[in-house]
Amino acid sequence: DVLASGAHVRNMLRLLVTCVCAVAAATASAPEDAPLNLWSGVTVGLKSDDASVEKGAGEQYQFQADVNKLMDIIINSLYSKKEIFLRELISNGSDALDKVRFMSLTDSAVLGEGDTSKLEMKLIADKEAKTLTLIDRGCGMSKEDLINHLGTVAQSGTSSFIEAFQQGADVNLIGQFGVGFYSVYLVADNVAVHSKSNEDDKQWVWESTADSTFSVYEDKGEELGRGTKIVLTLKEDCLEFLEEERLKGLIKRYSEFINFPIYLYTTKEEEEEVPIEEGDEDDEEGEDEEDEEDKEDED
């Protein structure tokens, strides 16, 4: 509250300085016998302390205070099982799929058509980009959902987890408090959540590097149809989570009670012997003969 009061005082001082400068300018330029209009040609602006500030990539927001504390706990947790992030993402994806399946019982149009109608999850490991991506065809989130659910609105689970942690609880229990999403920062430097809801005509991206702020902007990339795509840019010491066998083991462990299929996409490099065609053999023989002739000429 003291900080907030200080911010308001600074804003009022800026306004006062603007007004003083305006008075000085108006006094200097006005004729001696003319009535003085102090506000003529003056443009007054206040610096906003609003949580949303327009930036090049979109709107930037401050995390709610308790979420900031939660992020600090996660980022500085050295002895936690980092793999729990995948358990939480799979669980959240399953909840989103359950929700859209329930909605479709009364309105089949909710599911959409083609790939959008498939109630499934995909996990994509990209070693070159060092990213791990989870896609679900669940209910998705609107712009307002992304802002509220992932940062600015206080959730009871956030403060409850912080209190439990201060009393000795382990970070691995984060999912029990309904704020398991933030466990992604155990393994990721940057997180981008692309989401499309049937309730919103546009597709949006929520993105943060866990620096106390996040940004939200319209997604101009690949269309999801409906659902959520979470892209994790992994930390250098967490690249093990791009290995196929590691991911297979974790998916098997954490999908035991999941009622939807999970597909794992990985890339492989293979060496293959290519048979030499007859024409290629003749060319090689010809080149060898030419090399021998050149050597004889040199001799």
Side-chain angles (χ1 to χ4, degrees), residues 125 127 239-248 266:
K127 290 184 179 180
L239 298 182
E240 65 182 272
F241 296 110
L242 296 177
E243 298 298 331
E244 182 177 354
E245 292 306 313
R246 181 78 164 112
L247 289 172
K248 280 182 178 178
T266 59

Side-chain angles (χ1 to χ4, degrees), residues 29-30 71 93 135 140 218 280 284:
S29 60
M71 302 274 268
I135 302 172
E218 187 176 349
D280 295 335
E284 287 187 3

Side-chain angles (χ1 to χ4, degrees), residues 98-259:
D98 267 329
K99 183 175 180 180
V100 78
R101 180 168 62 179
F102 178 77
M103 293 166 64
S104 71
L105 295 178
T106 54
D107 183 5
S108 59
V110 167
L111 291 178
E113 300 177 349
D115 289 341
T116 305
S117 65
K118 298 176 181 178
L119 298 181
E120 62 187 20
M121 281 182 268
K122 296 178 183 178
L123 198 60
I124 304 169
D126 188 332
K127 290 184 179 180
E128 186 175 344
K130 299 180 181 179
T131 60
L132 184 64
T133 302
L134 180 75
I135 302 172
D136 71 67
R137 299 288 185 185
C139 55
M141 288 177 279
S142 64
K143 179 183 179 182
E144 185 177 355
D145 290 336
L146 288 170
I147 295 170
N148 291 339
H149 299 334
L150 300 184
T152 61
V153 175
Q155 300 177 41
S156 58
T158 310
S159 54
S160 297
F161 172 77
I162 293 171
E163 184 178 344
F165 181 81
Q166 291 171 341
Q167 294 176 2
D170 195 288
V171 172
N172 301 329
L173 301 177
I174 189 171
Q176 298 180 18
F177 296 88
V179 287
F181 165 76
Y182 299 103
S183 64
V184 292
Y185 287 103
L186 288 169
V187 298
D189 286 321
N190 185 80
V191 178
V193 181
H194 306 246
S195 202
K196 174 66 176 69
S197 166
N198 287 341
E199 307 301 319
D200 196 324
D201 293 334
K202 295 180 180 179
Q203 183 169 305
W204 298 92
V205 182
W206 176 102
E207 187 168 10
S208 178
T209 55
D211 60 352
S212 79
T213 65
F214 64 90
S215 58
V216 177
Y217 52 93
E218 187 176 349
D219 192 351
K220 300 292 186 179
E222 178 186 3
E223 293 184 1
L224 294 173
R226 185 199 64 252
T228 299
K229 176 174 72 174
I230 301 175
V231 183
L232 310 180
T233 303
L234 297 183
K235 299 176 181 178
E236 287 296 327
D237 62 347
C238 296
L239 298 182
E240 65 182 272
F241 296 110
L242 296 177
E243 298 298 331
E244 182 177 354
E245 292 306 313
R246 181 78 164 112
L247 289 172
K248 280 182 178 178
L250 292 175
I251 291 172
K252 184 176 181 180
R253 181 184 305 171
Y254 294 131
S255 64
E256 185 177 356
F257 302 105
I258 302 298
N259 298 317

Side-chain angles (χ1 to χ4, degrees), residues 57-112:
E59 297 175 356
Q60 188 172 27
Y61 298 81
Q62 294 287 331
F63 279 115
Q64 192 263 344
D66 277 350
V67 175
N68 254 336
K69 292 179 185 177
L70 173 64
M71 302 274 268
D72 287 339
I73 289 172
I74 291 170
I75 292 169
N76 296 305
S77 295
L78 302 178
Y79 305 105
S80 58
K81 289 176 63 177
K82 293 185 177 183
E83 66 185 47
I84 65 166
F85 82 93
L86 192 55
R87 177 192 70 194
E88 299 305 321
L89 291 186
I90 289 175
S91 176
N92 289 347
S94 177
D95 289 345
L97 288 165
D98 267 329
K99 183 175 180 180
V100 78
R101 180 168 62 179
F102 178 77
M103 293 166 64
S104 71
L105 295 178
T106 54
D107 183 5
S108 59
V110 167
L111 291 178

